[in-house]
Amino acid sequence: LFVARSMYDVVIVGGGASGLFCAKLLREAGARVVVVEASDVIGGRVRQDTTFAPWSIDTGGELVHGQNTLLHSLCVQNGWDMIQTFTSFPPDPPYPDHQVKEYVYLGRERRLLPYSTTVDPDITTLYKALRDMAEDKGPDRSVMQYLVEKGVPLRVMGLADAIYAKTWGSTLHRVGVREAAREDVKVGEIDNGEDNFKVKGSFSSLLKFISAGTDVKCNWQAKSISYGGPAGAPVSIKNGAGEEIKAKRVVVTVPLPVLRDGDITFSPPLPAAKIAATKSVGMDAGLKVILKFKEKFWPDRVHLVICADSFVPQLWFDGPPGRSLPPGQAPVWTAVGFVTGDQAELIGRMKKEDVVDTFLRQLDAMFACAKNPYPASRVYLDVLIYDWAKHPFVRGSYSHPSVGPDRHQLRLAEPVNDVLFFAGEATATQHEPSTINGALMTGKRAAAEVARSLPVKPYLKSKM
């Protein structure tokens, strides 16, 4: 039986990026902190596989989105080597052809085209409509309905789903214009930068850095949080075995479905506005299908492909020369298929061999030539599938703007009684949600809120 030796200043519920970073900042400021994590490992949606390839593979969050972010700064400060990958959205004006690394694939036409906004008039119309959405003054409706109103041709509606809705982790008819436009404006205002990067050694370096020195208890699933005592009374957190931890403050950083589905019982219940927010902000299925090959069959210039009307809507490639191999190791390459929303739900129900066969057929169609009609199938070695919807303490990809809710992220992020605080990518009101950087920033925000509320150790305030 676990028994706390004394009351903690702060308990962090959830050992993902936001919770660990929040704990690090509070601990460095002088607070006595413990992190409780339901899973058997830390990291939340930041997780690695170290056996599939000669390099460590991030099966969840994989990219540093932007060179002007806290996450990028941590990588630079700690000397974690990064690989620059691809841009997140078609640049304006487009890159010269010799610089293009990003492509779109029109599946029904079997056409592979540069990401450029000038190669196809229908694609140009789509990109303009997506950029203009931030100025939309109409009623809230789905992005699908908005694009139809803007006259986007049906021919590229599948590309709209792959490039926009799937990036949000959902589907065109589930993403709401009002909230999506607000997020697009926010991204422009904070100016994270358009470049994306991978950490060569994976985000395991990040997890080691933000968890070092912190008391973390894995396999400790919080089932109840009682915070309704008189002023100054401790908060009680219990797990399913009846073990109890008491603290002056609690920071809840669990994924949205854990709050939405009532995995944790709060006494008294959370405010009605916060409960409504957990049910309104969307979070759909998400997974990665990673295929390994003994030869590289795609052109060197192709790094990222957004695939319309295809089994896998987004894919990127990895391997030498960007990845170093151990001496004597035969080279291998990977195609990382990133799937969210309705397509992830479908793939999650399929047999593994059918997933592999269908993905290989897509790659064969994309890169076939007369001399090599099955370029992917011919050199295929193995598959790794990680389905986040099946993770018992995550149950999805990341939050997305929904139709209907108005600023419900603010409700998710609001403290309760200056005792309960909330962090995690779904609560990112000042920075971008759905990313590791956004999660870190919410941990930083929650740490500052807790520090301002604690009536102990005056230097807590001065060091935040």
Side-chain angles (χ1 to χ4, degrees):
L1 179 67
F2 169 79
V3 179
R5 290 172 295 174
S6 61
M7 185 168 64
Y8 288 91
D9 292 323
V10 188
V11 171
I12 312 286
V13 181
S18 61
L20 292 172
F21 194 54
C22 182
K24 173 182 173 64
L25 295 175
L26 286 169
R27 182 179 54 78
E28 291 177 348
R32 185 162 184 257
V33 183
V34 64
V35 176
V36 295
E37 165 58 41
S39 184
D40 57 352
V41 294
I42 62 171
R45 283 163 278 180
V46 181
R47 181 170 290 212
Q48 295 77 38
D49 182 283
T50 60
T51 62
F52 185 70
W55 60 90
S56 183
I57 291 179
D58 285 301
T59 56
E62 180 176 353
L63 298 175
V64 180
H65 294 286
Q67 63 273 28
N68 305 323
T69 58
L70 169 62
L71 180 55
H72 189 273
S73 296
L74 290 176
C75 293
V76 173
Q77 292 167 11
N78 287 281
W80 304 329
D81 290 339
M82 289 181 284
I83 307 167
Q84 186 170 346
T85 55
F86 38 77
T87 59
S88 297
F89 195 80
D92 188 13
Y95 290 141
D97 287 345
H98 70 277
Q99 294 182 4
V100 169
K101 296 184 290 186
E102 304 87 5
Y103 287 76
V104 298
Y105 175 68
L106 304 181
R108 284 184 291 186
E109 301 172 19
R110 293 197 173 187
R111 293 180 65 202
L112 188 66
L113 303 170
Y115 221 18
S116 162
T117 57
T118 62
V119 296
D120 183 291
D122 289 348
I123 295 177
T124 301
T125 299
L126 167 63
Y127 289 172
K128 184 178 186 305
L130 291 174
R131 288 195 174 97
D132 290 347
M133 193 165 63
E135 307 299 324
D136 180 71
K137 304 300 181 184
D140 194 28
R141 64 255 196 234
S142 71
V143 173
M144 170 71 85
Q145 184 176 345
Y146 164 81
L147 293 176
V148 170
E149 293 170 1
K150 288 293 183 179
V152 173
L154 179 62
R155 171 175 168 262
V156 294
M157 203 61 79
L159 178 59
D161 187 67
I163 200 171
Y164 193 79
K166 292 298 181 282
T167 298
W168 267 121
S170 189
T171 306
L172 281 178
H173 70 273
R174 295 181 188 171
V175 179
V177 167
R178 181 170 53 200
E179 289 293 315
R182 188 174 290 137
E183 290 299 330
D184 289 345
V185 170
K186 186 170 68 175
V187 167
E189 291 173 347
I190 60 180
D191 188 24
N192 283 341
E194 291 186 346
D195 293 329
N196 289 318
F197 306 84
K198 294 179 187 176
V199 178
K200 278 191 175 182
S202 82
F203 278 124
S204 60
S205 301
L206 172 69
L207 296 181
K208 290 176 183 176
F209 173 73
I210 60 179
S211 65
T214 296
D215 183 7
V216 180
K217 303 187 183 304
C218 291
N219 296 307
W220 209 101
Q221 183 186 7
K223 297 296 290 181
S224 69
I225 299 176
S226 298
Y227 67 100
V235 181
S236 169
I237 306 95
K238 292 183 180 180
N239 64 14
E243 298 170 334
E244 180 181 39
I245 301 177
K246 292 186 177 182
K248 298 171 185 175
R249 302 289 186 269
V250 174
V251 183
V252 180
T253 72
V254 297
L256 184 61
V258 175
L259 280 179
R260 179 194 65 205
D261 298 343
D263 291 27
I264 303 173
T265 300
F266 291 86
S267 180
L270 294 175
K274 189 176 289 289
I275 294 174
T278 67
K279 299 181 184 302
S280 296
V281 177
M283 180 166 155
D284 294 345
L287 55 81
K288 283 184 177 179
V289 182
I290 305 171
L291 301 185
K292 183 165 61 176
F293 302 95
K294 61 184 177 182
E295 292 179 15
K296 181 178 179 179
F297 57 85
W298 55 91
D300 289 341
R301 69 181 185 275
V302 178
H303 290 203
L304 167 75
V305 188
I306 303 297
C307 305
D309 306 308
S310 300
F311 181 65
V312 170
Q314 298 187 5
L315 64 94
W316 52 87
F317 300 101
D318 208 341
R323 299 289 188 179
S324 300
L325 300 174
Q329 169 74 54
V332 295
W333 291 262
T334 60
V336 180
F338 179 57
V339 191
T340 60
D342 54 347
Q343 287 171 266
E345 294 170 10
L346 170 65
I347 291 176
R349 295 192 295 267
M350 293 174 64
K351 295 179 180 179
K352 183 167 72 171
E353 56 267 31
D354 293 336
V355 174
V356 172
D357 180 66
T358 311
F359 193 6
L360 285 173
R361 289 182 185 214
Q362 176 180 335
L363 292 169
D364 286 338
M366 292 171 65
F367 297 105
C369 63
K371 293 182 178 180
N372 189 4
Y374 305 105
S377 298
R378 182 179 61 84
V379 294
Y380 166 73
L381 291 173
D382 201 0
V383 64
L384 170 66
I385 301 175
Y386 199 95
D387 187 348
W388 286 96
K390 295 178 181 176
H391 190 297
F393 308 121
V394 177
R395 305 202 287 275
S397 55
Y398 43 75
S399 63
H400 69 78
S402 301
V403 181
D406 186 15
R407 297 186 182 274
H408 274 194
Q409 282 180 336
L410 292 172
R411 306 289 86 79
L412 285 176
E414 286 177 345
V416 177
N417 295 352
D418 234 14
V419 172
L420 292 184
F421 300 84
F422 296 83
E425 58 83 16
T427 72
T429 58
Q430 301 297 319
H431 295 268
E432 78 286 3
S434 314
T435 67
I436 298 174
N437 184 72
L440 293 173
M441 294 302 298
T442 68
K444 182 178 180 180
R445 183 253 305 151
E449 293 171 342
V450 170
R452 287 193 295 267
S453 78
L454 276 172
V456 296
K457 297 182 180 179
Y459 57 84
L460 272 176
K461 294 183 179 181
S462 65
K463 290 193 176 185
M464 291 306 301

